[in-house]
Amino acid sequence: MEHTESAVRAACRAWLEAHWDPNRGLIEWRNILIDSGWGAPAWPKRWHGLDLPTGLVPVVEEEMARIGAVGVAKAGIRVLASATILAHGSDMQKEKFLRRSMTGEDTWCQLFSEPGSGSDVAGAVTRADMRGNHWVVNGQKVWTTSAHKADWGLLLARTDWDQRKHKGLSYFILDMKQQGVTVQPLRQMNGHASFNQVFITDALVPPEMLVANVGDGWEVTTTTLMHERRGADGLRSWAQASDRPEHIYQEERAEIATVMEPYKWYPQRAGRVDLLMPRAIETGAIDDPVVRQELAKLLIMAKSAEWTARRARAAQEQGRPQGPEGSLGKLAASHIARAAARLHTTMAGANALLTGPDSPLGGLIAEILVSVPATSIAGGTDEIQRNIIAERVLKMPREPSIDSDRPFRDVPRNTVR
Amino acid sequence: MKFSFSAEQDEFRGNLRRLLAERVPTKEVRRLMETAAGWEREGWRQLDGTLGLSAIAIPEEFGGYGFGFGELCIVLEEMGRALVPAPYLATSLAARAILHVGSAADRTALLPGIASGVTIATLASAEDAGNWEAEATTLTATSGGDGWRLDGHKSFVLDGHIADLILVLARAPGSAGAKGVSLFAVEAGAAGFTWQALAVMDPTRKLARLTFDGVAARLIGTAGEAAAPYRRTMTEAAVALANEMVGGAERLREDALAYAMMRMQFGRTIASFQSMKHKQADMLLEVELAKSAAYYAAAAIDEGDDDAEAVASLAKAGAADAYVQTAIHAIQIHGGIGFTWDNDTHLWFKRAKSSEVLFGDGQHHREIMMRNWAA
Ligand SMILES: Cc1cc2nc3c(=O)[nH]c(=O)nc-3n(C[C@H](O)[C@H](O)[C@H](O)COP(=O)(O)OP(=O)(O)OC[C@H]3O[C@@H](n4cnc5c(N)ncnc54)[C@H](O)[C@@H]3O)c2cc1C
């Protein structure tokens, strides 16, 4: 297959027409899709892919949507897990995890933040010590989205306290379904409880579940975070349940309602820009000159951000690797979400005081208003994104570091543990 | 090509950027802006001729190179970056007006002169009220035994004091709205035509007020039918200016960054202070968003998109806000020196302010977006 839009479209369409069958089981179908390479077409041929340039992936997605085919499982931390394992994992890890992440059989969480280290992820004090032939993990993680649903966790832990801060970390794949791991959901300001505290006491990690080498934890974490930030560029679409009757759609609806449940408010946290115009028309606010101006300002920002993300992707096509530019998109997304929430409030008028089924759009607007603050915190705060842009893109001087020049055990830390 | 440039386009941009840096350094910008005309014909002809800038977007059949609107916007972006005082934007828009409004005969008569770089042209549409829409035209055109005659004023006319050829929007006496509006071509030497240079805030962008007192004019296209094709021209004007603006905004951002990296206070560069870093990050975000919109809009023109008008206004309003904000930040980053005449920042600051208003301000363009999208 040539790597041109028409060749890819034709090949994908022909394959789908020959193989798509909505009466198959969800996992069965996803396995067929993965075997064909169309499930993750941008991945290497050796690992379930077709080596397709990422710029052509939308063509595949369009063809899938055209015929109504269900895709591989994509939402949530699994995408970050796959990207990280693909970049740094061993062959054994790729074999064990990539397929099952895509079929949806395995669910993931990201165990980075701790009570004493959030923005400062590299300050993690959760420890992993080699005892006998296993790593033994002790510590506490927090804000861990979906930990209560997860089979596996991407774990950042300290393995060497005599090394400097960033050098003493290692990256593991932690089996969440073991005795030493206790998950406690935390209620959020929007009433949902999709993030958790995770208490880890003498949890075990076999040596082959170390990702890359001992001491490489920071580098691997950076890969995960860059993918996370790039994912916040607004180009991602969330899984939408189809209401079609065939068997596979029933299974997909069940998946969205259960495993994907923690993410059901995620579209709202981005501000639901898509709802602004319909709401303006429905409420009559469209005739208000102030609303018109504010809506236009927001559309300028949202469209420009979308086009910037596409420019970044096109540049990547031309051979530049995923870099810190993802931080630009994430910062834009925060501005957009906040502006959208403000406009939704204006258009709701006094009804913005209400929540629940009798409030605008059955509570959806209220959910936007109380979910948007997550956008500028999760995945690295706006301030951290600005630091990254200034230091890595603009090459401005780094913040003075008073904790990276000595063994980590001598670094002053939060007393919270 | 909405999201990337071809290798040829990148190469062209690189050559042009080098050429402008060499031939029109800021010292030269300052020298020219202090002259009454703000420009010198001979110098411009040489610069223009080196790369054939005036011919870029004019079709080959009329003596041009036949490149797209996208290439024209690359030139404008680089000119905005270098702040080249030249009647290039004015002449380009006049050429677009002739292309859109004119008949085959009009194009054959007028475009080759522009493509060769000999004719300096401009588009005169706004009047004393400062409204660039065809509907606002009050200058009248009457047709008599000896052809068309124009009476009235135009104002805020780009390079109106140096143009050889002026494209004038006029209306039939007694007509109103979009009806009865026609485009005419007037030669600068015509009897009854006078110009007066306006005292402008932005010395790198000269404007004139024009007076027409029974001036003989050539009708361009069909009488009374100019409003729609003129509107298309103004859509392109918005995109052209947006691209010029993002060039200037990026230059300001880069200069402010370079200054911050060098200026020491408290024993360290000011670039090491977090508030300065965050400001630079915000500036990068704003300028990149504006660039994306400007590039997208240029491609939308070339690809004949249905919503090109809305996208053009989006790009214009977005670029104006980004440029002005970048200019404000840039002065702040420079501190006291940023408020001096000797420091170059104010040249771009003033260009940002003049561009914000030219061809309609942000409020005007946001309303155009909404008229298109909130149907
Ligand atoms: C909805 C949600 C989901 C999340 N999901 C996960 C998850 O799945 N896994 C996970 O590991 N984490 C997750 N997080 C945690 C998130 O990554 C952290 O909350 C975030 O990185 C901030 O860390 P912190 O909460 O410790 O705040 P702090 O780091 O204490 O920050 C507090 C304030 O100080 C500012 N600040 C800190 N350092 C600097 C600096 N160097 N310069 C300037 N300002 C600074 C911050 O910007 C912020 O405003 C989630 C958070 C949210 C809200």
Side-chain angles (χ1 to χ4, degrees):
Chain A
M1 179 180 59
E2 255 190 282
H3 286 174
T4 62
E5 182 178 333
S6 55
V8 168
R9 193 178 293 285
C12 182
R13 185 174 296 188
W15 186 85
L16 282 169
E17 276 163 5
H19 296 88
W20 166 243
D21 174 4
N23 294 309
R24 285 188 206 274
L26 184 63
I27 309 277
E28 179 199 357
W29 159 247
R30 282 178 174 159
N31 272 313
I32 295 171
L33 192 58
I34 292 162
D35 287 336
S36 74
W38 291 112
W43 285 10
K45 287 211 173 92
R46 172 145 188 247
W47 299 110
H48 317 303
L50 296 171
D51 278 317
L52 214 62
T54 45
L56 288 172
V57 173
V59 175
V60 176
E61 285 166 0
E62 278 163 33
E63 285 305 309
M64 304 261 296
R66 198 184 64 87
I67 201 167
V70 173
V72 297
K74 267 200 280 262
I77 304 294
R78 68 179 74 250
V79 185
L80 309 183
S82 298
T84 307
I85 291 170
L86 208 52
H88 300 283
S90 66
D91 282 1
M92 185 283 284
Q93 290 163 354
K94 289 174 186 165
E95 249 146 48
K96 185 170 167 64
F97 295 115
L98 293 179
R99 174 182 293 268
R100 286 176 61 87
S101 285
M102 284 197 283
T103 59
E105 289 162 283
D106 282 349
T107 295
W108 292 80
C109 67
Q110 183 191 59
L111 300 158
F112 290 176
S113 302
E114 299 183 6
S117 56
S119 299
D120 186 16
V121 207
V125 295
T126 290
R127 58 189 305 148
D129 301 284
M130 194 54 152
R131 271 192 231 142
N133 52 5
H134 272 74
W135 291 99
V136 180
V137 185
N138 281 283
Q140 184 188 343
K141 294 288 174 176
V142 74
W143 324 130
T144 319
T145 301
S146 181
H148 55 312
K149 306 275 184 187
D151 303 295
W152 302 98
L154 301 170
L155 172 73
L156 179 67
R158 190 158 302 277
T159 44
D160 190 340
W161 298 71
D162 295 319
Q163 286 281 359
R164 283 175 291 124
K165 182 173 167 183
H166 294 83
K167 298 283 172 201
L169 296 166
S170 300
Y171 196 106
F172 300 94
I173 297 171
L174 176 74
D175 183 350
M176 295 292 288
K177 308 284 189 208
Q178 60 172 303
Q179 241 201 334
V181 177
T182 309
V183 177
Q184 231 176 53
L186 290 168
R187 189 158 185 227
Q188 298 146 196
M189 65 173 276
N190 61 0
H192 293 282
S194 47
F195 62 30
N196 305 268
Q197 314 189 61
V198 179
F199 299 94
I200 308 171
T201 313
D202 290 337
L204 298 182
V205 178
E208 64 272 21
M209 290 298 153
L210 169 73
V211 180
N213 299 306
V214 172
D216 288 346
W218 180 244
E219 193 195 330
V220 183
T221 301
T222 307
T223 299
T224 313
L225 290 175
M226 281 200 304
H227 280 276
E228 180 170 23
R229 283 156 196 169
R230 173 182 156 184
D233 67 7
L235 295 186
R236 176 166 53 190
S237 53
W238 291 95
Q240 292 261 316
S242 159
D243 53 8
R244 285 180 244 199
E246 288 91 344
H247 176 78
I248 198 164
Y249 299 117
Q250 291 172 27
E251 275 194 68
E252 194 191 23
R253 281 196 291 277
E255 179 183 62
I256 290 171
T258 56
V259 190
M260 302 303 300
E261 189 271 343
Y263 301 105
K264 71 176 181 212
W265 59 277
Y266 273 42
Q268 278 66 270
R269 88 179 200 187
R272 292 308 297 267
V273 173
D274 60 315
L275 291 178
L276 287 168
M277 190 68 86
R279 282 282 294 161
I281 292 166
E282 173 197 322
T283 59
I286 196 69
D287 297 324
D288 178 337
V290 176
V291 169
R292 290 173 80 82
Q293 286 290 316
E294 291 303 312
L295 186 47
K297 280 185 199 163
L298 186 114
L299 290 174
I300 292 171
M301 199 158 44
K303 294 265 184 199
S304 301
E306 183 195 325
W307 297 333
T308 302
R310 292 199 190 281
R311 261 176 71 214
R313 291 201 182 179
Q316 215 186 331
E317 282 314 287
Q318 293 159 357
R320 286 202 288 125
Q322 168 70 45
E325 303 91 344
S327 292
L328 275 184
K330 187 170 187 309
L331 195 51
S334 291
H335 291 306
I336 293 163
R338 272 192 293 263
R342 210 155 46 226
L343 213 58
H344 276 303
T345 309
T346 305
M347 296 196 292
N351 286 326
L353 293 162
L354 307 178
T355 186
D358 294 335
S359 70
L361 297 190
L364 199 71
I365 297 298
E367 185 160 286
I368 294 169
L369 306 188
V370 296
S371 296
V372 155
T375 302
S376 45
I377 301 171
T381 66
D382 280 7
E383 289 75 21
I384 295 302
Q385 303 315 317
R386 288 190 178 95
N387 285 351
I388 292 172
I389 293 165
E391 292 175 7
R392 308 236 195 104
V393 183
L394 299 174
K395 313 281 182 222
M396 298 175 82
R398 300 186 66 89
E399 289 300 295
S401 164
I402 53 166
D403 64 351
S404 300
D405 59 344
R406 65 192 91 172
F408 188 75
R409 65 169 77 254
D410 300 333
V411 166
R413 290 193 292 277
N414 285 291
T415 45
V416 199
R417 268 216 64 177
Chain B
M1 302 299 272
K2 281 179 168 136
F3 306 115
S4 60
F5 291 101
S6 68
E8 293 73 30
Q9 287 173 323
D10 283 339
E11 194 192 328
F12 172 65
R13 180 194 295 283
N15 291 339
L16 179 56
R17 186 172 295 189
R18 269 188 303 279
L19 180 76
L20 295 181
E22 188 191 300
R23 302 265 193 94
V24 200
T26 317
K27 216 173 124 216
E28 177 68 358
V29 174
R30 283 178 179 271
R31 188 183 69 80
L32 289 169
M33 80 183 194
E34 304 281 10
T35 64
W39 158 87
E40 280 166 5
R41 192 177 284 266
E42 200 36 50
W44 166 241
R45 198 171 283 176
Q46 276 176 20
L47 184 67
D48 183 27
T50 309
L51 289 173
L53 302 178
S54 290
I56 294 253
I58 293 181
E60 281 168 296
E61 50 181 320
F62 308 117
Y65 293 157
F67 286 106
F69 193 74
E71 279 78 13
L72 180 66
C73 285
I74 293 177
V75 178
L76 284 162
E77 185 181 353
E78 293 307 315
M79 292 217 173
R81 181 184 176 85
L83 213 58
V84 180
Y88 189 72
L89 178 63
T91 304
S92 299
L93 294 178
R96 302 306 286 187
I98 295 166
L99 267 176
H100 296 321
V101 185
S103 65
D106 296 327
R107 296 174 186 183
T108 312
L110 301 176
L111 289 177
I114 291 179
S116 70
V118 171
T119 309
I120 302 304
T122 191
L123 180 57
S125 48
E127 301 178 359
D128 293 335
N131 183 338
W132 278 267
E133 288 176 301
E135 290 74 4
T137 305
T138 68
L139 185 143
T140 56
T142 41
S143 126
D146 56 348
W148 293 90
R149 301 258 167 207
L150 305 184
D151 287 280
H153 300 281
K154 289 288 168 185
S155 195
F156 310 106
V157 180
L158 270 181
D159 300 309
H161 61 306
I162 56 171
D164 309 307
L165 181 73
I166 301 115
L167 280 298
V168 186
L169 213 55
R171 69 163 59 254
S175 67
K179 291 215 181 79
V181 175
S182 313
L183 188 70
F184 295 88
V186 167
E187 284 178 20
F193 170 75
T194 49
W195 56 264
Q196 173 207 342
L198 295 170
V200 283
M201 174 268 305
D202 170 9
T204 64
R205 173 165 269 156
K206 308 286 193 214
L207 303 173
R209 183 170 189 269
L210 313 182
T211 301
F212 299 82
D213 189 2
V215 178
R218 172 195 174 111
L219 174 67
I220 303 295
T222 312
E225 301 285 321
Y230 167 75
R231 183 165 158 169
R232 240 179 101 196
T233 309
M234 288 317 284
T235 294
E236 295 179 353
V239 179
L241 188 51
N243 278 275
E244 194 201 87
M245 284 192 276
V246 298
E250 185 163 81
R251 168 72 180 265
L252 270 180
R253 182 187 71 65
E254 290 172 3
D255 285 358
L257 177 60
Y259 181 78
M261 298 285 241
M262 175 197 90
R263 169 78 178 166
M264 307 273 291
Q265 288 291 284
F266 299 95
R268 50 200 265 211
T269 63
I270 58 168
S272 68
F273 297 118
Q274 199 179 45
S275 69
M276 291 284 117
K277 289 162 68 177
H278 285 193
K279 206 188 279 300
Q280 290 284 355
D282 289 337
M283 289 162 79
L284 180 68
L285 177 62
E286 284 196 64
V287 173
E288 287 303 311
L289 292 195
K291 276 166 65 184
S292 301
Y295 299 163
Y296 185 94
I301 299 287
D302 273 332
E303 291 167 24
D305 283 14
D306 287 340
D307 62 354
E309 185 179 73
V311 166
S313 284
L314 186 159
K316 164 71 167 73
D321 284 349
Y323 199 179
V324 169
Q325 187 58 61
T326 304
I328 291 169
H329 283 327
I331 290 185
Q332 184 68 19
I333 290 167
H334 280 83
I337 207 166
F339 194 65
T340 64
W341 187 268
D342 272 357
N343 183 268
D344 292 333
T345 311
H346 74 102
L347 305 181
W348 277 268
F349 178 95
K350 289 168 185 170
R351 179 58 79 80
K353 291 303 288 179
S354 74
S355 306
E356 182 185 23
V357 178
L358 197 68
F359 307 151
D361 65 6
Q363 196 170 335
H364 171 79
H365 283 284
R366 288 190 290 269
E367 182 54 32
I368 292 180
M369 286 172 61
M370 294 305 287
R371 264 187 257 143
N372 276 275
W373 283 342

